[in-house]
C-alpha cells in the first residue's frame, strides 16, 4: 500500500471509530431523582425510603447500592405477593423509571444514628452500575404520608 493509501485508510478507520464512540455516548443513561422521602419511623431502629429514578437516556442502568451517613446500612428491597426480599440491584430502564414506593420496591435504612423526625432530612447517595452517584436529601414526612401521585 502506498503512503497516501495508508493515510487514507487510517483516516477512514479513525472516522469509523469516532462514529462508534458517538454511538456509545448516545446509548448512555441520563438519570435524575424526584419525589424522595422517608416516612417518620415508629421507632429509631429502621426506616423506609422512597423515590423515583428517571432515565431520559437511551441506555439502561442499575441501582446497585445506596449509602447514607444517617444509617449504618441501606438495603434494596422488592415486595412481591406481600413478601419483602433483599435484592442486589434494581433496573433503571432506558427511557423509563425505577419507582421505589410503598408496597413495592423500596429502601430499608437500618442502624440509624438517630430516629428521623418529621421536618428533618435524610442524606442518601445512590450508586449505579454505569452512572455517577447521585446525592439526595430526602425529607422526613409523617409516618402515613403517601404522595399524591401514588394515591389510588
Amino acid at each position: 500500500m502506498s503512503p497516501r493509501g495508508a493515510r487514507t485508510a487510517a483516516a477512514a478507520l479513525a472516522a469509523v471509530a469516532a462514529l462508534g464512540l458517538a454511538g456509545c455516548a448516545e446509548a448512555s443513561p441520563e438519570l435524575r431523582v424526584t419525589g424522595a422521602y422517608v416516612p417518620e419511623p415508629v421507632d429509631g431502629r429502621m426506616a423506609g425510603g422512597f423515590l423515583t429514578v428517571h432515565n431520559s437516556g437511551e441506555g439502561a442502568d442499575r441501582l446497585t447500592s445506596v449509602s447514607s451517613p444517617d444509617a449504618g446500612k441501606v438495603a434494596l428491597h422488592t415486595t412481591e405477593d406481600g413478601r419483602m426480599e433483599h435484592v442486589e440491584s434494581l433496573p433503571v430502564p432506558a427511557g423509563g423509571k425505577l419507582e421505589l414506593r410503598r408496597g413495592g420496591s423500596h429502601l430499608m435504612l437500618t442502624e440509624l444514628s438517630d430516629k428521623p423526625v418529621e421536618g428533618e432530612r435524610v442524606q442518601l447517595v445512590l450508586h449505579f452500575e454505569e452512572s455517577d452517584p447521585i446525592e439526595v436529601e430526602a425529607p422526613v414526612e409523617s409516618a402515613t404520608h403517601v404522595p399524591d401521585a401514588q394515591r389510588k
Side-chain angles (χ1 to χ4, degrees):
M1 180 180 290
S2 71
R4 183 174 182 191
R7 283 193 302 272
T8 302
L13 183 58
V16 168
L19 287 174
L21 290 175
C24 290
E26 289 178 25
S28 65
E30 294 179 26
L31 307 182
R32 68 182 173 86
V33 175
T34 63
Y37 74 98
V38 171
E40 183 175 344
V42 176
D43 64 34
R45 294 179 299 170
M46 67 178 69
F50 307 98
L51 52 84
T52 301
V53 181
H54 301 268
N55 183 356
S56 60
E58 294 182 13
D61 208 339
R62 295 192 73 77
L63 177 63
T64 57
S65 67
V66 178
S67 58
S68 173
D70 302 312
K73 294 181 184 175
V74 182
L76 305 174
H77 285 177
T78 59
T79 304
E80 291 186 30
D81 299 325
R83 291 184 39 139
M84 190 168 51
E85 183 177 332
H86 174 267
V87 294
E88 295 297 319
S89 66
L90 292 166
V92 185
K97 62 186 173 181
L98 166 63
E99 285 189 277
L100 303 182
R101 59 187 293 169
R102 290 180 183 267
S105 298
H106 60 278
L107 305 176
M108 184 60 65
L109 292 80
T110 58
E111 300 176 16
L112 299 170
S113 54
D114 290 306
K115 178 185 173 195
V117 178
E118 187 176 352
E120 295 180 344
R121 294 188 172 276
V122 173
Q123 304 295 317
L124 301 170
V125 181
L126 284 64
H127 304 273
F128 299 92
E129 190 172 76
E130 301 292 328
S131 301
D132 290 336
I134 297 176
E135 295 183 21
V136 177
E137 280 194 3
V140 179
E141 302 287 356
S142 73
T144 58
H145 175 76
V146 177
D148 290 339
Q150 294 180 7
R151 294 183 194 272
K152 293 182 181 179

